[in-house]
Amino acid sequence: MKEKKILCIVTGGIAAYKAAFLVRLLKQRGALVRVVMSKAATEFVTPLTFEVLSGNPVSWDLFAPRDEPGVEHVELATWAERIIVAPATADFISKSAHGAADDLASTVIAAARCPVYLAPAMNAGMWENPAVKRNVALLEGDGRRFVEPGSGELACGKTGPGRMAEPEEIVGALERSFAPGNLDGVRVLVTAGRTEEDIDLVRYISNRSSGRMGFAIARAAREMGASVSLVYGPVDVPVPEVDSAKSVRTSAEMKRAVTMAFPRCNLLIMAAAVADFMPAGKNPGKMKRGVKGIELELRPTPDILASVSGKKKKDQIVVGFALEEKGGEEKAREKIRKKGCDYMVLNVISETTGFVATTNRVTLFKGNRKVLETGLVSKVEAASMILDKISSDTRLKRKPKRVVRE
Ligand code: C5P
């Protein structure tokens, strides 16, 4: 972090006191730190605390008279290499998700061009409020990154999710962002979302995959310099900006799209939750409701991962995902062998991991070896950690850089 320019935005929650520790840690690691506070944050901790800890003047007023000429919010936004909002209140998350700019803190975010990190802190009820969830998804869609809050005792006396991540964890996320693995010139193919397998004209079998993990991988790969192709089934979240994106619905459509795109990719990451079973025979019309129940015969879908792994060239890397209940490590190892892929990402089904959740806890296997354990982190962080590991661990084939001769 030496000489890295970090702008800390402190907004008005009780966790503002933890931001003091954050500033201190950043300074200890050699970062240059400036602090902006919201008006409400100054009710919790005085600007003087942050002035002393950061060694720089602290601003909170958009219209305060200044000694130097220039526009302060633009100057701060341009100066920063990373912005961290800690704590990020529900109100601040809502404002920045909608591009509001009515005080110095929100105006700096609106003007920011560098990566912006947010460490939310709020009561569990607020963190689980659908409006807050929507705003978090909007910001993630815009490429903002979240350092997920933990679960535990909250200042309101209740226990639950919403506690701001510890300062050490926030510093870790910022540090990783300065030393990301490099995917320059690598062609990455990512699958995401779920598939739908038709029972009749209007009904289908599917699962609850949201598409969050696959989209986080696609976004992180692009930020690391890869050219990214996405094949995605039905999802619940906005599709990220990538180099090419193909929407499919059934496992058969996904197989066709992946098989077509696979020969051109250097790294395939199959994060999609492809249905394992499909109805044996499709009923051409809409089945009528009868008095008796019906029996549905299911047969396995074609295993796309196994099929492409069987065709992969020496310089292609294939990564699968395994969603398991407890004790899935052996199953993950077995799947690598059975499917013939290089890596397997194991995630476990729970309220905070696996499907639907915005967080995950993954273990990465290479052959028989466990090469990474992320702990409970946001899916965005998990994606970066997985790609970092694969890019540093493997010799990925890359498109050679064009040499420009004068
Ligand atoms: O066997 P299981 O469904 O647990 O394997 C999960 C992995 O296999 C995922 O990477 C998923 O994308 C892939 N898969 C596939 N084709 C299927 C089922 C799963 O490629 N029919």
Side-chain angles (χ1 to χ4, degrees), residues 270 272 274-276 301-305 320-321 335 339:
M270 286 277 313
V274 185
D276 288 324
T301 50
D303 193 320
I304 309 169
L305 182 58
F321 268 68
K335 272 186 191 166
K339 297 186 184 244

Side-chain angles (χ1 to χ4, degrees), residues 17 115 337:
Y17 83 91
R337 281 194 298 276

